[in-house]
């Protein structure tokens, strides 16, 4: 029984306790599985009418657990756009606030990151993931707890990168930290698989007894 509309260029935030269905919504959007009831429409067309490939081609995803391969930073970025030039890659990294740390590495963009990016810190991996999403130039951004594992200094860099990524794009954001969602156009507060409150940060925070205010 969840229903919402998201207009182009808007940011929708999903908040609520763990296990309430926030990530499930993003998985439905990416067609990891299809809804058993109801429908999801994109441009008034049922999501099941699109192939997974064509759908995901227009999506950029940044998750808490970043998927990096045991290859160079450049190769990890180029995954999403094989025709991207070195200049394209560096421009995306600058926007994501990743170029700063990459320039300090011994081999710069040719640096091997190790299995699952083990040679990079959590904040550095997140910034590479944001750069990858910026390079892809997607129409829909999905962020799933993208800053929850970071210290406050790393979070500042990552938040700046996310701001660049989300500018003028449609976004669905899952977050526990208020800093990520205070400027969202619409916040859905979920509990036990249902939407219990909806509105902007200011409106929801003003409710004295609301779940969001708590």
């Amino acid at each position: 029984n969840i229903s919402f509309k998201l207009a182009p260029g808007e940011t929708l935030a999903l908040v609520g306790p763990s296990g309430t269905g926030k990530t499930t919504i993003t998985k439905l959007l990416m067609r990891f599985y299809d809804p058993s009831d109801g429908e999801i429409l994109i441009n008034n067309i049922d999501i099941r009418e699109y192939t997974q490939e064509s759908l995901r081609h227009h999506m950029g995803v940044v998750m808490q657990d970043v998927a990096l391969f045991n290859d160079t930073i450049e190769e990890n970025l180029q995954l999403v756009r094989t025709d991207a030039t070195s200049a394209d890659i560096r421009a995306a990294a600058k926007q994501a606030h990743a170029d700063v740390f990459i320039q300090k590495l011994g081999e710069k963009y040719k640096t091997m990151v190790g299995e699952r990016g083990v040679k990079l810190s959590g904040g550095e991996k997140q910034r590479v993931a944001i750069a990858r999403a910026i390079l892809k130039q997607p129409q829909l951004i999905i962020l799933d707890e993208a800053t929850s594992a970071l210290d406050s200094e790393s979070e500042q860099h990552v938040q700046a990168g996310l701001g660049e990524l989300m500018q003028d794009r449609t976004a669905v954001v899952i977050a526990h930290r208020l800093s990520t969602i205070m400027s969202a156009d619409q916040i859905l507060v979920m509990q036990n698989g249902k939407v219990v409150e909806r509105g902007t940060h200011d409106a929801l925070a003003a409710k004295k007894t609301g779940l969001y205010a708590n």
Side-chain angles (χ1 to χ4, degrees):
N1 295 318
I2 286 171
S3 185
F4 61 87
K5 285 183 179 178
L6 183 56
E10 276 190 355
T11 295
L12 170 78
L14 303 173
V15 302
S18 296
T20 201
K22 302 184 298 293
T23 297
T24 302
I25 288 176
T26 63
K27 286 180 177 175
L28 285 164
L29 287 174
M30 290 187 277
R31 282 204 70 197
F32 283 116
Y33 34 74
D34 289 325
S36 51
D37 283 303
E39 57 188 2
I40 299 168
L41 304 177
I42 297 181
N43 298 336
N44 290 322
I45 296 169
D46 193 300
I47 200 169
R48 287 167 282 208
E49 298 288 322
Y50 299 97
T51 63
Q52 286 181 339
E53 188 180 3
S54 67
L55 192 67
R56 292 173 190 172
H57 177 72
H58 296 290
M59 293 181 177
V61 183
V62 182
M63 299 192 142
Q64 183 179 346
D65 186 20
V66 179
L68 293 181
F69 297 96
N70 188 12
D71 213 324
T72 65
I73 288 175
E74 187 174 68
E75 290 287 345
N76 269 287
L77 289 172
Q78 212 165 18
L79 275 174
V80 294
R81 239 185 78 201
T82 50
D83 65 334
T85 64
S86 296
D88 293 333
I89 288 168
R90 187 161 185 202
K94 278 183 173 175
Q95 257 193 292
H97 297 257
D99 185 67
V100 184
F101 84 81
I102 294 171
Q103 290 301 326
K104 293 176 184 170
L105 300 172
E107 301 286 318
K108 297 183 178 171
Y109 285 84
K110 300 292 183 188
T111 302
M112 298 290 286
V113 300
E115 199 66 47
R116 297 184 66 79
V118 70
K119 293 181 182 176
L120 303 180
S121 72
E124 288 167 349
K125 283 196 282 190
Q126 291 297 62
R127 281 182 271 170
V128 169
I130 293 164
R132 189 155 62 186
I134 289 172
L135 189 65
K136 191 176 184 181
Q137 295 290 307
Q139 290 175 284
L140 176 67
I141 308 293
I142 294 175
L143 306 177
D144 192 346
E145 296 287 11
T147 63
S148 64
L150 306 180
D151 59 69
S152 53
E153 188 184 350
S154 295
E155 190 192 10
Q156 275 187 318
H157 290 302
V158 171
Q159 286 289 12
L162 290 174
E164 296 277 3
L165 172 63
M166 291 164 67
Q167 207 164 6
D168 304 321
R169 290 197 178 93
T170 312
V172 176
V173 181
I174 296 175
H176 286 305
R177 291 193 183 184
L178 284 181
S179 54
T180 320
I181 54 164
M182 284 175 76
S183 58
D185 298 288
Q186 187 183 169
I187 298 172
L188 300 187
V189 185
M190 295 177 61
Q191 192 174 34
N192 302 324
K194 291 180 180 148
V195 176
V196 290
E197 293 170 4
R198 67 176 78 208
T200 60
H201 167 76
D202 289 342
L204 291 169
K207 286 185 182 180
K208 296 212 166 47
T209 56
L211 180 64
Y212 186 85
N214 281 338

